[in-house]
Amino acid sequence: MRLVFAGTPEPAVPSLRALLASGRHEVVAVVTRPDAQAGRGRKVLRSPVGALADEHGIEVLTPARAGDPDFLDRLRELAPDLCPVVAYGALLPQRALDVPAHGWVNLHFSLLPAWRGAAPVQASIRAGDEITGASTFRIVKELDAGPVFGVVTEQIAAADTAGVLLERLARSGADLLQSTVDGIEDGTLQAVEQPGEGVSYAPKVTVEDARVSFADPAAAVDRLVRAVTPEPGAWAEFRGERFKLGPVTVLDEPGPAPGELVVERKRVLVGTATKPVRLGEVQAPGKKRMAATDWARGTRIDEGERLR
């Protein structure tokens, strides 16, 4: 089939790479978000999907909006049979959905209908799910509500951050998307409507969402930190300034009051509503990321001082 692949960030790259390597389909163009500033130097960079397409000499389309007339005209000229989508990052209007004969098929990193929306991996970790997965479905007007072609499941490990879990799902999801495209071409795959029960939503995670409250139980603190690592990154306030936090370890022992810091020779502990947590890596304002014990050795922490 003639494919136009839509995707933007790194987790979309394994899927595009798998379709390019399949030898069965022709990726005639890629749709991705426009080049944007990134990194410390704020250089204007191609998206990871756009960069991979450039390496393979594939046309790259970067419409500001997927409803732009010039983009829609070019899409019709390309005449794709199917448009696979992985984390494209923008809504697709019905005029675009109507172009390919077999529609647009999205790889979503959840077991639909759970965690529809922009941040399903983060939501599943924060909720304490033990199992998650990826689903392929036909895109319809309602958010992530189209009929499902297939799923793969993945166990969430106790130490998984969103970044680590998303890497695994991106790899297993790439195989699922490729087999879905093959099945649609063969006519052997039928999409099944999502059940009406069990629907939940996972909106985009903001910086404010990533603020840690040590008034919460230790398990909730642990899950929140892992859910927002690496982006946007967990934080609390120390002495009135933002203080970044890496994953923590929940300890089974009595601890100080919520937010209170206790510095020991080989550990830095923080109290929560239940058990204490041991800090891993931290980053103070203007400093590099470092082990919490190294930070504590260079910072005179008074008795009773707290993360807030």
Side-chain angles (χ1 to χ4, degrees), residues 83-289:
C83 294
V85 185
V86 185
Y88 169 50
L91 296 176
L92 296 163
Q94 191 62 47
R95 298 189 303 281
L97 297 180
D98 291 339
V99 173
H102 293 287
W104 297 64
V105 174
N106 186 220
L107 172 65
H108 188 74
F109 298 116
S110 82
L111 297 175
L112 293 171
W115 306 128
R116 295 174 179 173
V121 176
Q122 294 89 335
S124 62
I125 291 177
R126 188 167 185 180
D129 294 348
E130 295 182 351
I131 300 292
T132 185
S135 307
T136 50
F137 69 97
R138 179 176 289 117
I139 294 179
V140 296
K141 187 175 181 179
E142 187 181 353
L143 178 68
D144 298 336
V148 173
F149 288 103
V151 300
V152 291
T153 59
E154 181 76 36
Q155 186 163 4
I156 301 178
D160 272 345
T161 63
V164 169
L165 180 57
L166 186 54
E167 280 186 16
R168 293 206 304 275
L169 290 171
R171 291 195 297 270
S172 60
D175 293 337
L176 172 64
L177 183 62
Q178 183 180 342
S179 64
T180 298
V181 173
D182 291 348
I184 291 173
E185 182 182 43
D186 294 340
T188 58
L189 196 59
Q190 296 297 321
V192 177
E193 293 293 337
Q194 295 183 31
E197 297 179 349
V199 176
S200 54
Y201 292 93
K204 183 178 178 180
V205 177
T206 67
V207 171
E208 192 58 35
D209 294 331
R211 181 171 186 169
V212 177
S213 170
F214 289 96
D216 290 338
V221 170
D222 166 54
R223 292 199 303 263
L224 171 60
V225 174
R226 290 190 290 113
V228 299
T229 299
E231 297 291 339
W235 63 280
E237 280 192 359
F238 179 68
R239 297 177 181 171
E241 294 188 290
R242 185 172 295 181
F243 184 76
K244 297 181 180 178
L245 301 166
V248 301
T249 303
V250 177
L251 303 176
D252 189 14
E253 60 187 71
E260 184 176 341
L261 286 157
V262 173
V263 179
E264 300 177 348
R265 187 167 174 268
K266 294 185 177 180
R267 306 189 304 178
V268 179
L269 311 184
V270 186
T272 73
T274 54
K275 303 171 183 176
V277 296
R278 185 180 71 224
L279 297 183
E281 287 191 330
V282 301
Q283 186 174 12
K287 303 289 186 181
K288 293 182 178 178
R289 183 172 286 266

Side-chain angles (χ1 to χ4, degrees), residues 8 33-48:
T8 298
R33 299 298 295 155
D35 300 353
Q37 291 182 326
R40 285 192 170 185
R42 307 306 294 166
K43 293 182 179 178
V44 176
L45 299 175
R46 192 71 123 178
S47 75

